[in-house]
Amino acid sequence: DIQMTQSPSSLSASVGDRVTVTCRASQSISSYLNWYQQKPGKAPKLLIYAASSLQSGVPSRFSGSGSGTDFTLTISSLQPEDFATYYCQQSYIPPRTFGQGTKVEIK
Amino acid sequence: QVQLQQWGAGLLKPSETLSLTCAVYGGSFSGYYWSWIRQTPGKGLEWIGEINHSGSTNYNPSLKSRVTISVDTSKNQFSLKLSSVTAADTAVYYCGRGNNYGGRSGIAFDIWGQGTMVTVSS
């Protein structure tokens, strides 16, 4: 299985901050990388697919980059509704695997 | 707007079979990969498996011996059965739509059900 490792596991940030979350794959996955946001008690929500494509309806402050093994999710200006847990997921080969999550908390 | 609604038993005893169903409302059933994913505090998000409209399946090897995913295209529904459950199968189970955007990307789960908490306890 391809292992997905996110860093950091958690971070504290303020409204308006630029936030970056990193995801590393245990082998090259080209651009087959997706990002999700999850709030407590809710299902995950797709933000970014194919490493850098913004899902319809997602604010443009979210962006993704990377290819191969190293990927980044960036929130350009953190908003109150962005405090949540973020997950990466590889879609290169089954089994489809997720990172362990990065919790973004209010500073 | 496509919605997924899922249901099934929430409390099971060890050795019983978990059974969940997910209905697809408001959209096409073909062209997507209909998936089951579970979430636990300890293991995080774990993909269980998927099925397409023609019944072709992929399963997570770690669960393959116990999992069956089936589809009823006449009802726009798909189902999960997980046999011989133990406490380790206690989790929130989600159904999801796997979308490869017309072949332009890998599978991304763009629509999710509301989740079902399944507890296995004697």
Side-chain angles (χ1 to χ4, degrees):
Chain A
D1 299 1
I2 297 176
Q3 306 302 316
M4 307 302 294
T5 303
Q6 291 182 231
S7 61
S9 296
S10 65
L11 64 90
S12 296
S14 301
V15 173
D17 285 353
R18 182 181 182 89
V19 170
T20 299
V21 179
T22 297
C23 179
R24 175 166 289 176
S26 60
Q27 67 180 74
S28 177
I29 57 171
S30 185
S31 295
Y32 293 95
L33 191 282
N34 309 311
W35 289 99
Y36 301 85
Q37 175 194 69
Q38 187 178 32
K39 296 181 178 179
K42 300 293 187 181
K45 172 188 174 183
L46 178 65
L47 300 176
I48 302 284
Y49 65 94
S52 61
S53 295
L54 194 66
Q55 173 68 356
S56 177
V58 173
S60 58
R61 63 181 179 272
F62 291 94
S63 64
S65 64
S67 66
T69 59
D70 294 316
F71 301 86
T72 299
L73 172 71
T74 300
I75 309 172
S76 60
S77 178
L78 196 66
Q79 297 302 299
E81 60 269 30
D82 300 337
F83 292 96
T85 301
Y86 294 84
Y87 295 93
C88 60
Q89 174 243 326
Q90 66 83 15
S91 56
Y92 185 63
I93 51 169
R96 314 190 191 286
T97 48
F98 292 83
Q100 83 280 12
T102 295
K103 187 173 184 179
V104 176
E105 299 175 300
I106 302 173
K107 181 183 281 185
Chain B
Q1 182 175 344
V2 179
Q3 294 185 11
L4 304 184
Q5 184 165 359
Q6 58 183 100
W7 64 89
L11 180 61
L12 297 172
K13 291 181 166 49
S15 80
E16 292 185 334
T17 296
L18 179 157
S19 182
L20 298 173
T21 298
C22 184
V24 181
Y25 296 106
S28 172
F29 204 70
S30 63
Y32 300 99
Y33 294 81
W34 303 98
S35 302
W36 290 97
I37 297 154
R38 68 183 184 180
Q39 186 171 30
T40 62
K43 292 189 70 176
L45 289 160
E46 181 179 30
W47 176 78
I48 299 170
E50 66 195 14
I51 191 167
N52 66 11
H53 71 282
S54 62
S56 177
T57 55
N58 280 315
Y59 296 134
N60 192 322
S62 68
L63 298 167
K64 187 174 183 177
S65 63
R66 298 192 291 131
V67 172
T68 302
I69 297 176
S70 58
V71 66
D72 185 340
T73 54
S74 68
K75 296 182 179 179
N76 275 16
Q77 294 177 1
F78 61 106
S79 298
L80 167 70
K81 290 191 186 300
L82 180 66
S83 64
S84 304
V85 297
T86 70
D89 296 309
T90 294
V92 177
Y93 287 75
Y94 293 101
C95 59
R97 188 178 81 169
N99 189 350
N100 69 356
Y101 297 88
R104 293 184 288 115
S105 78
I107 299 296
F109 303 111
D110 64 343
I111 300 174
W112 296 64
Q114 77 275 22
T116 300
M117 179 68 215
V118 175
T119 302
V120 180
S121 174
S122 55

